[in-house]
């Protein structure tokens, strides 16, 4: 089990799962309420499109990439690869989240430059193909799955920045065995391959975001 990404969830469920399709139709109505509350245009989720599905590396894989983002914000440099399988225990990452929690909107633009990666749920929620600066929160308890909604446009920009910092190729398929092999041998090898877990997460998010923008569909974390 682990975090999965899907782009085109209504198209996937329309003929395969009537109950699931109805559930997510309601969810997209709630998402549009949240968008309207933030003076953003509605999202129209397509019901016919090629579906993208991808599995992240468990639930922890995302945190390896978030750790790199935190170090770039706090220290301005990519850290050594995390090899103890406990990226959330990194003091720099904890300091970054403390700053997010205490300062929130008072943070500088530099401190917000990876917000769509860092300030979103690590297990559920949405990214929509609209461009907006702040991650949206369901403060009024509408019942939105995951509570948060980010921008797949901003997520793509953030992940491409991280890919450049890691010197990771972005023209390979995330299902290429090179990414899985690198993740399995975290900290070993040379160049970007030392950051196997980070790069595995990064390439899958990049592909999901590109598919989201191309087809006008939300990324759904499940």
């Amino acid at each position: 089990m682990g975090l999965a990404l899907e782009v085109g969830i209504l198209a996937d469920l329309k003929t395969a799962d009537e109950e699931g399709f109805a559930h997510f139709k309601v969810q997209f109505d709630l998402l549009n309420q949240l968008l309207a509350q933030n003076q953003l245009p509605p999202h129209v989720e397509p019901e016919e499109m090629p579906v993208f599905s991808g599995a992240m590396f468990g639930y922890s894989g995302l945190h390896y990439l978030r750790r790199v983002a935190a170090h770039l914000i706090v220290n301005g440099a990519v850290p050594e690869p995390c090899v103890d399988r406990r990226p959330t225990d990194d003091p720099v990452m904890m300091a970054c989240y403390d700053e997010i929690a205490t300062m929130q909107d008072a943070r500088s633009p530099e401190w917000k430059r990876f917000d769509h990666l860092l300030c979103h749920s690590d297990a559920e929620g949405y990214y929509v193909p609209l461009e907006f600066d702040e991650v949206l929160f369901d403060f009024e308890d509408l019942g939105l799955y995951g509570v948060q909604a980010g921008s797949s446009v901003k997520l793509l920009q953030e992940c491409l920045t991280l890919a450049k910092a890691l010197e990771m190729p972005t023209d390979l398929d995330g299902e290429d065995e090179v990414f899985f092999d690198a993740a399995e041998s975290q900290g070993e090898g040379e160049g970007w391959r030392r950051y196997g877990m980070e790069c595995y997460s990064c390439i899958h998010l990049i592909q999901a975001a590109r598919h989201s923008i191309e087809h006008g569909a939300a990324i759904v974390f499940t």
Side-chain angles (χ1 to χ4, degrees), residues 38-56:
N38 289 274
Q39 293 76 53
L40 291 167
H43 167 68
V44 180
E45 181 68 12
E47 297 182 15
E48 300 288 341
M49 61 166 285
V51 176
F52 170 90
S53 296
M56 299 290 273

Side-chain angles (χ1 to χ4, degrees), residues 114 131 152-162:
F114 294 114
E131 186 168 359
S152 53
V153 177
K154 289 292 188 179
L155 180 67
L156 177 60
Q157 293 171 0
E158 293 175 11
C159 288
L160 288 174
T161 298
L162 291 169

Side-chain angles (χ1 to χ4, degrees), residues 201-216:
S201 297
C202 193
I203 193 64
H204 280 79
L205 289 173
I206 286 172
Q207 286 193 288
R210 284 173 169 166
H211 202 75
S212 169
I213 295 163
E214 179 182 356
H215 296 283

Side-chain angles (χ1 to χ4, degrees), residues 37-169:
Q37 289 173 4
N38 289 274
Q39 293 76 53
L40 291 167
H43 167 68
V44 180
E45 181 68 12
E47 297 182 15
E48 300 288 341
M49 61 166 285
V51 176
F52 170 90
S53 296
M56 299 290 273
F57 212 99
Y59 283 105
S60 65
L62 182 64
H63 294 292
Y64 285 78
L65 185 62
R66 287 177 167 179
R67 173 179 171 268
V68 172
H71 273 261
L72 286 172
I73 291 170
V74 177
N75 295 328
V78 174
E80 286 295 302
C82 177
V83 294
D84 63 4
R85 302 285 172 175
R86 299 173 67 181
T88 55
D89 288 345
D90 185 300
V92 172
M93 188 169 178
M94 289 191 286
C96 182
Y97 274 104
D98 283 345
E99 183 77 5
I100 290 171
T102 56
M103 298 301 291
Q104 299 181 355
D105 290 344
R107 292 172 297 137
S108 69
E110 177 70 12
W111 269 84
K112 294 181 178 181
R113 63 194 178 111
F114 294 114
D115 268 14
H116 287 262
L117 176 67
L118 294 173
C119 299
H120 191 277
S121 169
D122 61 358
E124 53 192 11
Y126 304 89
Y127 287 94
V128 292
L130 299 170
E131 186 168 359
F132 49 89
D133 291 331
E134 307 288 341
V135 175
L136 310 180
F137 288 82
D138 179 14
F139 291 121
E140 296 189 7
D141 295 325
L142 297 170
L144 188 69
Y145 181 60
V147 182
Q148 294 129 326
S151 162
S152 53
V153 177
K154 289 292 188 179
L155 180 67
L156 177 60
Q157 293 171 0
E158 293 175 11
C159 288
L160 288 174
T161 298
L162 291 169
K164 184 177 180 179
L166 292 165
E167 300 182 348
M168 182 198 84

